[in-house]
Amino acid sequence: SIIAYLDHLVLWDSTFFAVGTILVALHAYMVKFITEFLQNSKVKTAKKIATFIPTQHEPNISVLHQQLIKIGCALYAPKIKAQDLLWGDYFGNLNELELNGSILEPKTTRQENIDFDLILVPALAIDIFGNRLGQGGGYFDRVLKQSKAFKVAVIFDSEFLTEKIPTQAHDESVDAVLTPNKFQLINI
């Protein structure tokens, strides 16, 4: 159930979701990096944002989602269909979602292609060159390849690596990294 799923999600800095109620403890440094991210010129001009609903092993970005919605951005969450990702409107309400295995997805999707301004993408790791290690399905690589959007990986601090990640021809890089403790542009 979604409540059981929420029970296992971890907010940044190890603050947990409580059953039925989201308890958000925003530390000053976390607010600083979300604010820094939102002040980036490419983020400030973004209106259509592809995002993801994090699993229990990814940083929870619900606070970021709420801030983006508050400033008038349209958010779109992915739904897996065959080898592609379809996109559904996401208004920050978990009731809009349904479980597909261990992944929360929108109940409905749009039929048309969306020209995103910003893509928030999950990763297992990112190196200082912007190379992204995904989970092997290539879903987000295909989205990143087709888009000219500003691409930001959302990861934990320990997943931002100084050594180069081995890549394959289909792997797509990102333009920036957002962690619980920093927002950093990739200088390629």
Side-chain angles (χ1 to χ4, degrees):
S1 79
I2 290 180
I3 296 300
Y5 178 84
L6 288 176
D7 219 14
H8 295 288
L9 282 177
V10 177
L11 280 174
W12 292 358
D13 196 35
S14 301
T15 303
F16 293 91
F17 276 108
V19 176
T21 305
I22 299 175
L23 299 176
V24 180
L26 288 174
H27 298 286
Y29 66 87
M30 184 175 156
V31 172
K32 175 185 174 206
F33 294 109
I34 288 177
T35 302
E36 186 179 322
F37 172 73
L38 293 173
Q39 292 304 312
N40 176 275
S41 62
K42 292 185 180 187
V43 176
K44 282 173 83 169
T45 60
K47 295 297 174 206
K48 293 181 275 181
I49 300 173
T51 190
F52 64 99
I53 309 303
T55 67
Q56 63 187 8
H57 305 291
E58 297 165 333
N60 186 293
I61 53 177
S62 62
V63 171
L64 179 59
H65 286 161
Q66 292 304 319
Q67 289 299 313
L68 292 167
I69 291 166
K70 185 177 178 180
I71 62 173
C73 297
L75 301 184
Y76 303 91
K79 183 178 186 85
I80 297 171
K81 183 171 183 186
Q83 293 299 308
D84 294 314
L85 291 180
L86 302 178
W87 299 94
D89 295 310
Y90 181 58
F91 301 102
N93 184 344
L94 294 175
N95 292 332
E96 306 167 49
L97 307 172
E98 61 189 3
L99 276 173
N100 178 6
S102 64
I103 299 171
L104 283 170
E105 299 180 329
K107 293 177 183 175
T108 60
T109 58
R110 293 175 163 258
Q111 296 304 313
E112 75 275 7
N113 288 331
I114 303 166
D115 187 19
F116 297 117
D117 304 309
L118 169 66
I119 300 175
L120 298 173
V121 61
L124 295 175
I126 299 289
D127 67 23
I128 59 173
F129 307 103
N131 296 312
R132 177 180 167 270
L133 177 63
Q135 295 191 18
Y139 296 103
F140 276 97
D141 285 316
R142 288 187 285 281
V143 171
L144 294 173
K145 183 176 185 147
Q146 296 171 1
S147 180
K148 295 189 184 322
F150 185 54
K151 301 160 180 114
V152 179
V154 181
I155 57 175
F156 290 110
D157 293 286
S158 62
E159 298 166 335
F160 191 38
L161 309 176
T162 56
E163 58 275 355
K164 187 176 185 322
I165 294 173
T167 59
Q168 297 178 336
H170 67 272
D171 292 328
E172 293 294 319
S173 61
V174 296
D175 303 310
V177 172
L178 181 63
T179 76
N181 291 302
K182 78 171 101 181
F183 171 62
Q184 183 172 328
L185 296 173
I186 304 292
N187 298 321
I188 300 175

